[in-house]
């Protein structure tokens, strides 16, 4: 496992989205300021914990599908977040042990734990780049990207619960296109994105909490999320809510929890293949 970063101190004066997400998943790698902001979100949208879990489950399923059915052996995961097992490379390497994964995030705390937790198989390889999705060049120009990934072969671009942190004024569609442009035919985009479609008033409150904490957000409708897949061939079932994207078969356990509601999940997901 290798990494590259510009050394920065961890800012604990305000919440960070990656550390808030860690709280939603029940992790311990966050600070009091992150907990307070996350609990403020949960107070208006209790489904945030379900949303976070379903986002994680979608990533696992999409990764397995791309590895098993579409021959993907390389991933570029942007907006990685604080490592939570199983991480993407662990899911991919459980299917194809020689899978290669480059992770990227812009929180120094993510780097701290990436060094500790991201362990590759002997056949595969992982790397971490400290980069901001709003500056694609910081990622694409990092030497480690092409040291680990062969950009002449298909790569899955994984953007899970990331692009809602890129408002329209920052050209989110242009950013995704810039990242996809360097990937060859047969590459994939796996993307999840929170949505206000099922409860606009609640999601406006969530927006206000993030913005007031210094984190820009723009939660998008299904039609707006679908634009990220323009020019790609969507896999079935298309753009759908996270818990409906190729769900695992029922366990048959009568005591299993009831499926979440669409409003609880509030997460559009999709996977597309570059022609």
């Amino acid at each position: 496992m290798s990494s590259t970063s510009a050394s920065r101190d961890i800012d604990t004066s305000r919440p960070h989205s990656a550390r808030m997400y860690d709280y939603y998943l029940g992790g311990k790698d966050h600070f009091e300021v992150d907990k307070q902001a996350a609990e403020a979100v949960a107070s208006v949208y209790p489904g945030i914990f379900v949303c976070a879990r379903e986002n994680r489950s979608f990533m696992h399923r999409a990764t397995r599908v791309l590895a098993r059915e579409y021959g993907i052996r390389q991933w570029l995961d942007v907006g990685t977040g604080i490592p939570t097992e199983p991480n993407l490379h662990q899911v991919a390497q459980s299917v194809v042990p020689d899978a290669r994964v480059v992770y990227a995030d812009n929180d120094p705390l993510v780097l701290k734990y990436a060094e500790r937790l991201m362990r590759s198989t002997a056949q595969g390889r992982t790397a971490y780049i400290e980069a901001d999705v709003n500056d694609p060049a910081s990622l694409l120009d990092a030497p480690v990207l092409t040291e680990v990934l062969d950009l002449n072969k298909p790569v899955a671009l994984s953007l899970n619960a990331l692009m809602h942190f890129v408002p329209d004024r920052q050209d989110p569609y242009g950013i995704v296109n810039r990242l996809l442009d360097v990937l060859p035919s047969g590459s994939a985009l796996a993307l999840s994105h929170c949505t206000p479609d099922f409860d606009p008033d609640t999601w406006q409150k969530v927006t206000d909490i993030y913005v007031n904490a210094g984190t820009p957000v723009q939660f998008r409708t299904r039609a707006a999320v679908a634009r990220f897949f323009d020019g790609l061939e969507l896999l079935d079932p298309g753009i759908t809510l996270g818990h409906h994207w190729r769900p695992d078969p029922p366990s048959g356990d009568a005591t299993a929890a009831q499926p979440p509601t669409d409003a609880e999940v509030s997460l559009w997901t999709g996977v597309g293949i570059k022609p």
Side-chain angles (χ1 to χ4, degrees):
M1 189 260 177
S2 60
S3 67
T4 180
S5 71
S7 178
R8 293 190 291 125
D9 291 334
I10 295 170
D11 182 1
T12 62
S13 66
R14 63 179 187 175
H16 189 285
S17 57
R19 303 192 304 256
M20 291 173 66
Y21 185 63
D22 175 74
Y23 179 85
Y24 300 146
L25 289 174
K28 298 179 180 178
D29 299 316
H30 52 265
F31 300 100
E32 184 63 26
V33 67
D34 307 305
K35 177 182 177 181
Q36 290 175 359
E39 288 181 343
V41 170
S43 71
V44 299
Y45 170 44
I48 188 62
F49 302 104
V50 173
C51 178
R53 289 196 300 270
E54 291 298 335
N55 178 64
R56 199 79 191 162
S57 295
F58 163 73
M59 182 274 284
H60 294 165
R61 297 195 304 276
T63 300
R64 289 195 297 265
V65 166
L66 288 171
R68 287 175 179 160
E69 300 179 24
Y70 293 87
I72 298 292
R73 297 294 182 269
Q74 305 183 107
W75 278 260
L76 174 57
D77 182 53
V78 187
T80 301
I82 293 166
T84 302
E85 293 196 3
N87 296 289
L88 188 151
H89 75 280
Q90 293 168 315
V91 176
Q93 291 176 349
S94 72
V95 180
V96 283
D98 60 340
R100 291 176 166 239
V101 179
V102 171
Y103 294 100
D105 207 294
N106 70 339
D107 182 4
L109 187 64
V110 176
L111 173 60
K112 175 183 175 182
Y113 289 101
E115 295 280 12
R116 183 188 303 175
L117 294 178
M118 292 181 185
R119 303 281 191 256
S120 175
T121 59
Q123 305 98 309
R125 189 172 172 191
T126 64
Y128 181 90
I129 299 171
E130 187 173 1
D132 189 334
V133 70
N134 292 294
D135 179 15
S138 67
L139 172 56
L140 298 177
D141 293 344
V144 72
L145 178 67
T146 50
E147 290 171 6
V148 176
L149 303 183
D150 181 350
L151 299 186
N152 294 308
K153 296 179 180 179
V155 175
L157 175 61
S158 180
L159 303 176
N160 290 302
L162 173 66
M163 296 312 295
H164 48 239
F165 294 114
V166 184
D168 282 348
R169 66 178 180 273
Q170 294 169 228
D171 192 21
Y173 302 105
I175 288 171
V176 172
N177 287 337
R178 174 90 184 274
L179 295 172
L180 286 171
D181 281 348
V182 305
L183 306 181
S185 175
S187 293
L189 171 64
L191 180 145
S192 60
H193 195 298
C194 289
T195 182
D197 284 354
F198 300 91
D199 191 348
D201 291 343
T202 289
W203 280 90
Q204 183 57 55
K205 294 174 183 176
V206 174
T207 298
D208 292 342
I209 292 168
Y210 273 97
V211 171
N212 291 336
T215 300
V217 290
Q218 184 171 346
F219 303 114
R220 295 182 171 90
T221 64
R222 185 183 184 280
V225 172
R227 282 187 58 196
F228 288 111
F229 294 91
D230 284 354
L232 303 181
E233 298 171 356
L234 275 169
L235 304 187
D236 288 338
I239 308 296
T240 188
L241 289 164
H243 58 313
H244 295 318
W245 197 93
R246 303 201 183 189
D248 293 327
S251 66
D253 182 356
T255 64
Q258 290 297 308
T261 67
D262 292 352
E264 283 178 317
V265 176
S266 290
L267 184 83
W268 291 120
T269 60
V271 179
I273 303 296
K274 184 175 179 178

